[in-house]
Amino acid sequence: MKAFWKGLSILVCVWSLCISRRQVETSRSESRLLSGKWGLRNSNGSLSLAADVPGCVHSALLRQGLIQDPYYRLNDLAYRWISLDNWTYTTTFSVPRGTRQKQRVSLVFDGVDTVSTISLNDVIVGTTDNMFRRYDFDVSMTLRQGDNVLVVDLVSAVGYSARRSQAHTTYKVPPACPPPVQKGECHVNFIRKAQSSFSWDWGPSFPTQGIWRDVRLESYDILRLLYLSAAPAFDSSSSLWSVEVELVFDTVMAVEGYVKLALADLATQQTFQASLPPGQSNNTFILHVNKSSPVDLWWPAGYGKQNRYQMNVQMMLDGGLVLDTVTQVYFRTVELIQKPIPGSPGMSFYFQINGRPVFLKGSNWIPAHSFQDQVTPETLKNLLQSAVDANMNTLRVWGGGIYEQDQFYSICDELGLMIWQDFMFACALYPTESDFMETVREEVTHQLRRLKSHPSIIVWSGNNENEAAIATNWFGIPQSEQPQYVKDYTSLYVDNIRSIVLRVDRTRPFLTSSPTNGAESEKEGWVAQNPYDTHYGDTHYYNYLADCWDWRNFPRTRLASEYGFQSWPSLSTLMKVSVPEDWRYSSLFSSHRQHHLAGNMEMLLQAALHFHLPQSPHPLQEYRDTLYLTQVMQAQCVKAQTEFYRRSRSEIIEGQGHTMGALYWQLNDIWQGPSWASIEFGGKWKMLHYFAKDFFAPVLPVGFQDQGNLLIYAVSDLNNNKTLSAVITVYQWSSLEPVCTVTSGAAPVSGGTALPLYKTPLKELLANCANCTVQTCLLTFHLEEAGRQLGPMNHLLLSSPKEAQGLQKPDITTKVQQDGNTFTVTIQTSAIAPFLWLDVGDIPGRFDSNGFLMVTKSRSVQFYPWAPTSVAQLSQVLTVSSLRGVY
Ligand SMILES: *[C@@H]1O[C@H](CO)[C@@H](O)[C@H](O)[C@H]1NC(C)=O
Ligand SMILES: *[C@@H]1O[C@H](CO)[C@@H](O)[C@H](O)[C@H]1NC(C)=O
Ligand SMILES: *[C@@H]1O[C@H](CO)[C@@H](O)[C@H](O)[C@H]1NC(C)=O
Ligand SMILES: *[C@@H]1O[C@H](CO)[C@@H](O)[C@H](O)[C@H]1NC(C)=O
Ligand SMILES: *[C@@H]1O[C@H](CO)[C@@H](O)[C@H](O)[C@H]1NC(C)=O
Ligand SMILES: *[C@@H]1O[C@H](CO)[C@@H](O)[C@H](O)[C@H]1NC(C)=O
């Protein structure tokens, strides 16, 4: 067992006199992973199997062949029993004497999902109730020689939530249950677990149980490091950078020593005295960067490089090193600017990175899988790279999911993707009992310390839509009871979460909610009368039935942090979880996967505003065409709305405008089903994602009609100024020969602005040009600088394609060739082909462009495969769709 003399000698001495160099050298903390193969059984012992840690019960059952793919057909209902049962994880391990002889041994869980009792050798060492916390249990006295048996007894998250809700008798904390269409479980707001795991309007109910992050033993004689973070700050009065380095230690006894911080590439090094009390202590050191070293900044994607520095961190006690590690430091500043705008009531709302206003372009992130152990670094890389490839610079990590794994944020740091990070509360009211608040405080402190070094995170936000839920009374709470809920709201998000953020990380802004009116909400007591006010803060806006081609239907907000439309994924994605009888739009499967009330009907209603619905006599073809058309509808709707936001960045119209962000809902999918996502489960790009690549382009022409006029705007996110003109080409639907081209005068377009380049009565243009009408003609347009195209080609369909005159069924042929690592598809068409769509089934990869308007006889596009493939394989599966093909 323990070396008694050693503990004694240290306890009775002043540290610096007593700890010999040899002792210090052997006293670095040691870490020993207990992850790997564990045993798993259900409550009555009828099932007993091997299970991976990290992992969850569903994944273990699947891997052992005890269940089918939970995503297959209606299996989410069939496997409900898994999450209603209680499960126990067990492992047996032994530890070398050296470890047991350390002064202290801690059992560390980086993530337990969620409610458990943990025993070691039949002694309860602790309990857990929050999947977002890290848990440390002192097991110094519980470890023994030979086999140690570690048991994690989990209880059903569904059962736990029900019991907690029942116990909350003083007043209700709604919503009780999700809408029936979601086929989910109740009272998820009573458990600190991914809120979407009890079902969401885009995802299934899989209330997992498991050990979803690593487990290890940490043993040490003197101290161990719990957190290390480095957050740069810029002092604008002295123009000097400093780095706030926080070291959180767990110390066996009081010690004193030195901390040395060095940024070699910036000729910066400083040594600090450190005096650590016993137990957990936070220690903050301010490292001043050498003023003669110029600092290379971290920039968001599209604005510059993502420069970084290595910082060496050492801790010395009496000549011996107890800590010697390296961490990354990224220099950037972030400010949220809320100040009066001339000519507009309210306040601005935009982010300034390194002093430069940045228009946030991107989307919202949800968990990449119901079973997080199945999310690989490759999955994350592929999704995040796809975001950057579509010219996004921001993702909002939405508050109904999880704080993502470290690697997610590291990839974002490297790619220059900015993250709007919600705390994990969404679309609900929450209890405020003391134990709930206590576990939330631990969660928030842990997550801040874990994540605050990441430059990608530009804002913390308290929750998703909970200010709006109270303000606009989603849950039908009587007026007289409102104050109780406002009080709970401020207690949770302001008095607790906000005050912790202000204490632990002052290097980026905090918002209490999204959407919110920001400073105005604060003035109104944190719950604004109308959190969707376009004159303040951010907004979320959804309207599925209003014509999405008409920009007058969109709120001219300061920052759009959510908006979107649903579509279905492609057949190749659905085929992985369905059988032929499911492949009809009205099948049981189709309605089962739709978790948004009337969602399937809404998609067709919106599509029918502008398109003929599919009419193929062949049911499978009609189904494919319908999937395709929902994607066309979605892509076109989100394009119209996003272009409206981007062209509104420099204008105030009727008191509204200066829009500085467009984050559509949503980037990714959690399973194969209909949703607002632009990337299907598995990584395949929907048409919307190809459109995003264009509508988020740094330089973008936007065309629209206003009061009989055609306007073309130039939008520029560039750093430098350009002189641009708009070139407009008129086509007749009936011909591939352009009928006329007009060019606007050249005008200066400053970096970071949007302005009209061209305005003329549309009828006049059409009459002068080709004597055509909005039904017979359409436009393409682009921007030019000194005769050279800048930014993508864009188009404006002047009437609904269903009313277009002269649109013909095209004959389309394709040919595939290999060019090194990529493939070229050459397309020939006999007629104008709108929304031309190439599909290569489940061959992983993406095209450089897809879903485009084909107005030339011939065009080639590139296919970038994500795994080896061949011309033969691609040619065999390649299909081409276009709008006129569906009816
Ligand atoms: C044990 O639990 C499983 C899963 O909940 C259940 O299907 C089975 O009937 C139970 N067996 C007995 C003997 O109670
Ligand atoms: C699971 O554990 C809870 C709490 O101990 C208990 O109330 C419940 O009956 C258990 N469920 C099963 C299926 O054993
Ligand atoms: C700052 O850098 C200069 C030039 O590299 C170096 O000479 C000087 O010693 C550094 N100052 C400090 C305080 O480290
Ligand atoms: C750090 O420790 C001090 C002293 O114990 C405490 O007052 C402070 O709140 C702590 N800071 C954080 C960020 O936890
Ligand atoms: C771009 O133009 C604006 C407005 O005319 C001017 O204030 C700014 O200095 C120019 N920027 C550059 C980089 O030339
Ligand atoms: C323009 O087209 C209309 C009908 O499409 C036709 O009646 C008229 O003569 C044409 N005008 C000219 C100048 O070609």
Side-chain angles (χ1 to χ4, degrees):
M1 296 300 291
K2 236 172 212 72
F4 177 69
W5 62 269
K6 192 164 138 195
L8 191 66
S9 71
I10 289 172
L11 281 176
V12 297
C13 297
V14 180
W15 75 275
S16 56
L17 301 178
C18 285
I19 302 171
S20 70
R21 173 176 296 261
R22 175 202 292 272
Q23 252 177 301
V24 169
E25 273 166 6
T26 57
S27 68
R28 293 213 203 162
S29 69
E30 287 169 8
S31 181
R32 185 185 175 78
L33 214 55
L34 299 180
S35 302
K37 279 274 184 259
W38 289 43
L40 175 64
R41 63 170 194 276
N42 65 340
S43 59
N44 67 16
S46 66
L47 287 166
S48 178
L49 57 149
D52 293 308
V53 171
C56 69
V57 173
H58 288 84
S59 294
L61 290 168
L62 176 65
R63 262 176 221 139
Q64 296 297 313
L66 296 168
I67 58 170
Q68 287 179 310
D69 179 0
Y71 284 175
Y72 183 69
R73 301 192 80 197
L74 277 55
N75 275 350
D76 53 318
L77 300 183
Y79 296 151
R80 197 169 162 238
W81 62 270
I82 298 169
S83 47
L84 300 180
D85 206 344
N86 301 329
W87 296 84
T88 299
Y89 279 83
T90 309
T91 190
T92 302
F93 63 92
S94 60
V95 286
R97 212 169 104 180
T99 301
R100 293 195 316 278
Q101 282 178 345
K102 294 278 186 189
Q103 283 300 316
R104 181 128 347 131
V105 186
S106 282
L107 175 61
V108 181
F109 288 84
D110 282 330
V112 180
D113 177 16
T114 293
V115 181
S116 78
T117 304
I118 296 167
S119 321
L120 180 61
N121 301 327
D122 289 327
V123 176
I124 293 178
V125 295
T127 60
T128 69
D129 63 7
N130 186 334
M131 83 183 280
F132 306 126
R133 276 177 64 180
R134 154 189 169 141
Y135 286 92
D136 284 65
F137 305 113
D138 185 350
V139 293
S140 318
M141 309 303 290
T142 327
L143 274 184
R144 62 187 182 204
Q145 194 182 347
D147 283 350
N148 287 271
V149 181
L150 177 58
V151 177
V152 178
D153 275 311
L154 292 152
V155 299
S156 161
V158 178
Y160 172 85
S161 303
R163 288 191 296 279
R164 293 291 301 209
S165 155
Q166 260 161 27
H168 194 286
T169 52
T170 43
Y171 55 94
K172 291 198 169 67
V173 187
C177 299
V181 67
Q182 283 179 207
K183 292 151 283 237
E185 302 292 351
C186 302
H187 305 300
V188 71
N189 48 349
F190 279 89
I191 187 169
R192 293 309 299 144
K193 176 173 170 64
Q195 300 288 282
S196 61
S197 67
F198 279 38
S199 82
W200 212 260
D201 59 4
W202 37 252
S205 172
F206 284 115
T208 45
Q209 291 171 52
I211 300 171
W212 73 303
R213 297 287 192 238
D214 276 325
V215 184
R216 62 184 177 277
L217 286 175
E218 285 178 0
S219 51
Y220 46 104
D221 279 326
I222 301 171
L223 57 78
R224 68 180 165 140
L225 181 68
L226 296 173
Y227 301 94
L228 162 60
S229 63
F234 184 68
D235 180 354
S236 46
S237 59
S238 63
S239 290
L240 292 179
W241 280 99
S242 59
V243 185
E244 184 181 305
V245 180
E246 189 190 40
L247 295 160
V248 180
F249 289 109
D250 180 16
T251 314
V252 173
M253 69 218 128
V255 291
E256 285 183 25
Y258 296 94
V259 169
K260 191 164 112 186
L261 305 175
L263 283 160
D265 290 341
L266 291 173
T268 296
Q269 178 175 319
Q270 247 172 294
T271 303
F272 303 84
Q273 211 155 9
S275 166
L276 312 182
Q280 188 172 325
S281 64
N282 65 66
N283 305 268
T284 301
F285 307 102
I286 310 288
L287 176 64
H288 295 282
V289 174
N290 188 332
K291 56 174 157 252
S292 53
S293 304
V295 169
D296 290 324
L297 301 176
W298 180 94
W299 287 99
Y303 288 83
K305 286 192 188 155
Q306 289 72 49
N307 295 299
R308 68 170 168 194
Y309 293 90
Q310 309 274 350
M311 182 172 67
N312 284 80
V313 180
Q314 294 178 325
M315 169 107 188
M316 286 144 292
L317 298 178
D318 190 29
L321 276 179
V322 281
L323 174 71
D324 187 3
T325 187
V326 173
T327 189
Q328 319 289 340
V329 181
Y330 302 81
F331 292 87
R332 65 107 183 81
T333 62
V334 50
E335 297 154 278
L336 173 59
I337 310 293
Q338 301 181 79
K339 60 177 193 208
I341 303 175
S344 174
M347 281 185 287
S348 67
F349 191 83
Y350 65 90
F351 289 88
Q352 206 161 264
I353 308 294
N354 300 330
R356 185 131 89 234
V358 169
F359 189 105
L360 307 188
K361 298 186 292 191
S363 186
N364 284 265
W365 173 272
I366 64 163
H369 206 295
S370 292
F371 314 118
Q372 278 296 312
D373 51 286
Q374 295 182 37
V375 178
T376 61
E378 288 66 40
T379 308
L380 293 178
K381 258 183 218 152
N382 185 263
L383 286 168
L384 295 170
Q385 185 66 51
S386 288
V388 171
D389 288 350
N391 286 313
M392 296 184 177
N393 61 26
T394 306
L395 295 175
R396 170 168 170 257
V397 175
W398 165 77
I402 56 166
Y403 307 92
E404 277 295 334
Q405 48 184 292
D406 295 341
Q407 198 136 16
F408 174 93
Y409 300 95
S410 301
I411 298 169
C412 290
D413 294 343
E414 282 162 30
L415 293 175
L417 268 177
M418 294 178 281
I419 296 298
W420 175 311
Q421 179 68 49
D422 283 359
F423 286 96
M424 294 299 133
F425 302 86
C427 300
L429 305 178
Y430 286 86
T432 53
E433 285 102 316
S434 59
D435 59 342
F436 186 86
M437 290 302 233
E438 179 52 32
T439 202
V440 167
R441 282 194 290 269
E442 292 286 341
E443 163 191 334
V444 168
T445 308
H446 167 63
Q447 296 297 344
L448 288 168
R449 286 186 165 144
R450 180 173 76 93
L451 299 177
K452 73 180 186 181
S453 300
H454 293 284
S456 49
I457 299 174
I458 58 161
V459 60
W460 305 108
S461 165
N463 63 69
N464 171 75
E465 295 179 357
N466 295 350
E467 182 183 340
I470 295 179
T472 60
N473 204 4
W474 289 7
F475 306 119
I477 290 163
Q479 192 84 44
S480 61
E481 294 172 28
Q482 289 264 355
Q484 175 67 52
Y485 295 97
V486 174
K487 186 167 150 273
D488 281 358
Y489 179 90
T490 36
S491 166
L492 178 56
Y493 304 111
V494 182
D495 304 340
N496 281 282
I497 295 181
R498 180 172 177 271
S499 67
I500 294 170
V501 174
L502 296 186
R503 202 165 66 232
V504 181
D505 178 27
R506 284 182 162 280
T507 64
R508 71 209 93 198
F510 173 80
L511 294 166
T512 41
S513 187
S514 172
T516 182
N517 293 346
E520 174 62 19
S521 287
E522 180 171 353
K523 221 158 64 185
E524 294 179 35
W526 303 103
V527 177
Q529 225 171 22
N530 174 22
Y532 298 105
D533 194 329
T534 50
H535 303 97
Y536 297 98
D538 62 327
T539 59
H540 296 182
Y541 180 79
Y542 295 97
N543 187 340
Y544 308 114
L545 299 180
D547 179 2
C548 77
W549 286 30
D550 186 352
W551 56 269
R552 289 168 199 82
N553 288 324
F554 306 133
R556 204 187 283 271
T557 169
R558 302 286 191 231
L559 195 154
S561 47
E562 278 194 25
Y563 57 98
F565 295 84
Q566 279 200 337
S567 72
W568 275 86
S570 55
L571 186 59
S572 62
T573 295
L574 293 169
M575 278 169 75
K576 297 199 174 3
V577 290
S578 60
V579 296
E581 68 175 89
D582 300 327
W583 302 338
R584 284 177 298 116
Y585 201 70
S586 56
S587 68
L588 174 65
F589 173 81
S590 294
S591 65
H592 176 76
R593 303 297 268 213
Q594 175 57 267
H595 279 201
H596 166 67
L597 189 65
N600 288 348
M601 191 189 68
E602 283 171 354
M603 279 185 262
L604 296 188
L605 286 176
Q606 181 61 244
L609 294 178
H610 300 289
F611 308 113
H612 289 293
L613 295 184
Q615 286 165 10
S616 171
H618 307 292
L620 183 58
Q621 191 56 44
E622 189 194 14
Y623 181 62
R624 293 183 86 120
D625 289 345
T626 307
L627 302 181
Y628 159 79
L629 200 67
T630 65
Q631 290 203 20
V632 171
M633 175 276 292
Q634 179 198 34
Q636 190 72 3
C637 286
V638 177
K639 171 184 194 283
Q641 197 163 353
T642 307
E643 290 185 346
F644 170 70
Y645 292 137
R646 289 198 67 194
R647 74 169 156 87
S648 298
R649 82 171 276 171
S650 305
E651 282 179 343
I652 293 294
I653 292 178
E654 290 165 4
Q656 301 175 99
H658 277 204
T659 306
M660 282 299 284
L663 308 177
Y664 66 76
W665 186 267
Q666 72 206 61
L667 180 77
N668 56 322
D669 255 337
I670 198 166
W671 72 340
Q672 310 87 346
S675 84
W676 295 256
S678 62
I679 301 179
E680 301 178 7
F681 183 78
K684 186 171 176 177
W685 288 21
K686 284 180 175 176
M687 196 179 295
L688 170 57
H689 207 76
Y690 288 101
F691 275 40
K693 185 169 179 251
D694 284 346
F695 65 61
F696 283 141
V699 175
L700 176 72
V702 177
F704 63 101
Q705 297 180 54
D706 189 15
Q707 298 175 350
N709 289 313
L710 168 71
L711 288 104
I712 308 289
Y713 271 51
V715 182
S716 168
D717 287 346
L718 299 179
N719 297 334
N720 52 0
N721 297 340
K722 296 282 178 192
T723 300
L724 300 177
S725 48
V727 181
I728 301 143
T729 304
V730 182
Y731 286 87
Q732 287 179 317
W733 279 112
S734 58
S735 166
L736 287 164
E737 290 304 318
V739 284
C740 157
T741 296
V742 293
T743 303
S744 75
V749 178
S750 306
T753 63
L755 80 174
L757 279 186
Y758 179 83
K759 179 177 177 181
T760 207
L762 179 62
K763 283 220 171 84
E764 230 167 76
L765 170 74
L766 297 182
N768 293 346
C769 223
N771 190 25
C772 64
T773 67
V774 292
Q775 278 82 37
T776 58
C777 280
L778 67 151
L779 310 175
T780 66
F781 51 90
H782 64 271
L783 299 173
E784 282 187 359
E785 181 194 39
R788 206 179 50 108
Q789 182 175 337
L790 211 60
M793 179 70 77
N794 205 339
H795 60 260
L796 192 64
L797 309 184
L798 302 169
S799 67
S800 298
K802 69 177 181 181
E803 279 143 19
Q805 290 165 13
L807 175 57
Q808 299 157 24
K809 241 190 208 331
D811 278 327
I812 300 172
T813 57
T814 55
K815 190 168 164 236
V816 184
Q817 287 163 295
Q818 184 156 9
D819 292 309
N821 291 330
T822 69
F823 294 83
T824 302
V825 182
T826 307
I827 311 156
Q828 310 272 353
T829 182
S830 63
I832 287 186
F835 306 105
L836 188 140
W837 181 247
L838 303 168
D839 188 335
V840 290
D842 57 9
I843 295 180
R846 69 166 179 92
F847 294 93
D848 63 342
S849 180
N850 206 351
F852 45 82
L853 172 70
M854 178 115 175
V855 288
T856 50
K857 253 196 203 102
S858 171
R859 168 170 181 172
S860 39
V861 297
Q862 300 300 118
F863 179 74
Y864 305 107
W866 295 331
T869 182
S870 66
V871 169
Q873 218 177 9
L874 283 168
S875 306
Q876 201 195 339
V877 297
L878 179 67
T879 60
V880 187
S881 310
S882 83
L883 195 61
R884 193 59 190 85
V886 309
Y887 63 94

